[in-house]
Amino acid sequence: VYQVFENVAEKYDVMNDSMTLGIHRVWKDILVHKMNPSPGTLLVDVAGGTGDIAFRFINYVRSVRERQLQQKLKRHQNLSWQEIAKSYEEEKVKPLGDSQVVVCDINKEMLKVGKQRAQHLGYSEGLSWVLGNAEELPFDDDKFDVYTIAFGIRNVTRIDLALQEAYRVLKPGGRFLCLEFSQVSNPLLSRLYDLYSFQVIPVLGEIIAGDWKSYQYLVESIRRFPPQEELKEMIEDAGFFKVDYQNLSSGIVAIHSGFKL
């Protein structure tokens, strides 16, 4: 698995767009909206090497902060311009409040791509990158408010260990969110999806990334992954409460959610 992601790191985003016709961006937006982070939220994004979730999180928190500031200024119509200027100055200094996102990935190449993208897109504040294994996270207990893993959990060797680690590093009251390919509910769509996955995706991998085998593996890993109800049970077994899932695109992907109480 490590080799697969080392091979595809450079072309990972281009391939994501090609394989999903760009819809992966909408799925990730939905994940962050479901999270609904507020300024001060501490997030760990596991297997998030390219930064897709981290950048969305930062944008979301920034816009919440901006809205909060405008509401505050509206409520105090009689503020002097010096006080208004001071408020905006504070916003410039801390646009995320005390929010932080830690991107943790086992693969150095994926982290390298993520850091380059962050630099290129101008993300630096409130963002850190850590090399680490989802099954043995290099963080203290009860540290994070939210744990996300998007299209990563099916590639861990032991899903149960990764879920236990997610539980361990979350604070009491913390939230687990997982976005992953899942089982399509509609039989006709399922057949078409299989055809597309096995006949088209490896060919795209060869054309775009020069790598048939890695994308053949990725397709097979999707088929071997537990369906929605089974994953829900595994998340509950790890200790999470209020576990549910939301199917997107007829179950091509699903967002599973749970809380550490």
Side-chain angles (χ1 to χ4, degrees), residues 86-103:
K86 186 167 175 277
S87 289
Y88 272 107
E89 210 49 52
E90 283 168 10
E91 169 67 17
K92 252 195 289 186
V93 174
K94 293 182 92 175
L96 296 176
D98 294 315
S99 288
Q100 288 275 333
V101 52
V102 179
V103 179

Side-chain angles (χ1 to χ4, degrees), residues 100-114:
Q100 288 275 333
V101 52
V102 179
V103 179
C104 179
D105 203 295
I106 198 169
N107 196 294
K108 284 201 284 275
E109 284 304 306
M110 295 291 272
L111 285 171
K112 193 170 108 185
V113 170

Side-chain angles (χ1 to χ4, degrees), residues 218-257:
L218 289 175
V219 169
E220 286 166 4
S221 72
I222 292 168
R223 289 303 173 278
R224 284 197 303 269
F225 190 68
Q228 289 89 324
E229 280 295 328
E230 201 178 313
L231 182 60
K232 178 177 184 256
E233 280 177 29
M234 292 174 83
I235 296 166
E236 286 169 340
D237 289 344
F240 288 100
F241 287 88
K242 283 186 59 131
V243 179
D244 62 16
Y245 59 86
Q246 175 186 356
N247 283 330
L248 306 177
S249 306
S250 299
I252 289 176
V253 300
I255 297 174
H256 280 74
S257 164

Side-chain angles (χ1 to χ4, degrees), residues 6-251:
E6 194 157 78
N7 293 349
V8 304
E10 284 292 327
K11 297 284 184 182
Y12 190 70
D13 289 314
V14 183
M15 272 303 295
N16 276 348
D17 280 335
S18 307
M19 288 189 303
T20 69
L21 310 175
I23 299 167
H24 75 101
R25 295 170 184 269
V26 178
W27 296 333
K28 288 166 182 168
D29 286 343
I30 292 168
L31 177 73
V32 174
H33 277 268
K34 197 174 174 74
M35 186 198 311
N36 190 21
S38 53
T41 299
L42 191 55
L43 166 68
V44 61
D45 182 40
V46 177
T50 57
D52 268 5
I53 301 301
F55 304 153
R56 281 170 170 77
F57 170 82
I58 289 170
N59 291 345
Y60 194 96
V61 173
R62 273 182 188 160
S63 68
V64 171
R65 281 272 291 178
E66 182 64 34
R67 276 202 308 276
Q68 285 177 349
L69 174 65
Q70 291 187 350
Q71 282 164 358
K72 182 178 144 190
L73 295 177
K74 265 184 202 159
R75 281 198 303 271
H76 303 287
Q77 293 287 358
N78 54 349
L79 286 181
S80 68
W81 70 262
Q82 287 102 327
E83 287 168 314
I84 291 172
K86 186 167 175 277
S87 289
Y88 272 107
E89 210 49 52
E90 283 168 10
E91 169 67 17
K92 252 195 289 186
V93 174
K94 293 182 92 175
L96 296 176
D98 294 315
S99 288
Q100 288 275 333
V101 52
V102 179
V103 179
C104 179
D105 203 295
I106 198 169
N107 196 294
K108 284 201 284 275
E109 284 304 306
M110 295 291 272
L111 285 171
K112 193 170 108 185
V113 170
K115 285 177 188 172
Q116 285 168 350
R117 286 184 70 205
Q119 205 172 5
H120 176 67
L121 296 167
Y123 294 103
S124 58
E125 199 223 340
L127 176 61
S128 51
W129 307 84
V130 173
L131 190 67
N133 183 345
E135 296 171 35
E136 204 177 332
L137 293 171
F139 307 116
D140 294 337
D141 297 359
D142 306 332
K143 184 176 172 65
F144 297 97
D145 300 302
V146 185
Y147 170 113
T148 51
I149 184 162
F151 304 117
I153 203 162
R154 76 177 190 283
N155 297 307
V156 303
T157 316
R158 298 245 335 247
I159 295 171
D160 57 336
L161 288 185
L163 292 171
Q164 284 165 27
E165 279 293 272
Y167 188 85
R168 181 183 68 77
V169 301
L170 278 169
K171 295 174 184 173
R175 189 174 194 186
F176 167 86
L177 284 166
C178 168
L179 170 65
E180 189 51 89
F181 288 108
S182 207
Q183 201 165 76
V184 178
S185 44
N186 179 306
L188 176 63
L189 183 60
S190 180
R191 279 203 294 279
L192 290 170
Y193 178 49
D194 273 350
L195 201 65
Y196 175 76
S197 298
F198 286 100
Q199 304 300 323
V200 178
I201 288 176
V203 176
L204 284 174
E206 183 61 40
I207 293 165
I208 294 168
D211 189 342
W212 177 292
K213 265 167 61 180
S214 292
Y215 285 93
Q216 182 70 29
Y217 158 77
L218 289 175
V219 169
E220 286 166 4
S221 72
I222 292 168
R223 289 303 173 278
R224 284 197 303 269
F225 190 68
Q228 289 89 324
E229 280 295 328
E230 201 178 313
L231 182 60
K232 178 177 184 256
E233 280 177 29
M234 292 174 83
I235 296 166
E236 286 169 340
D237 289 344
F240 288 100
F241 287 88
K242 283 186 59 131
V243 179
D244 62 16
Y245 59 86
Q246 175 186 356
N247 283 330
L248 306 177
S249 306
S250 299

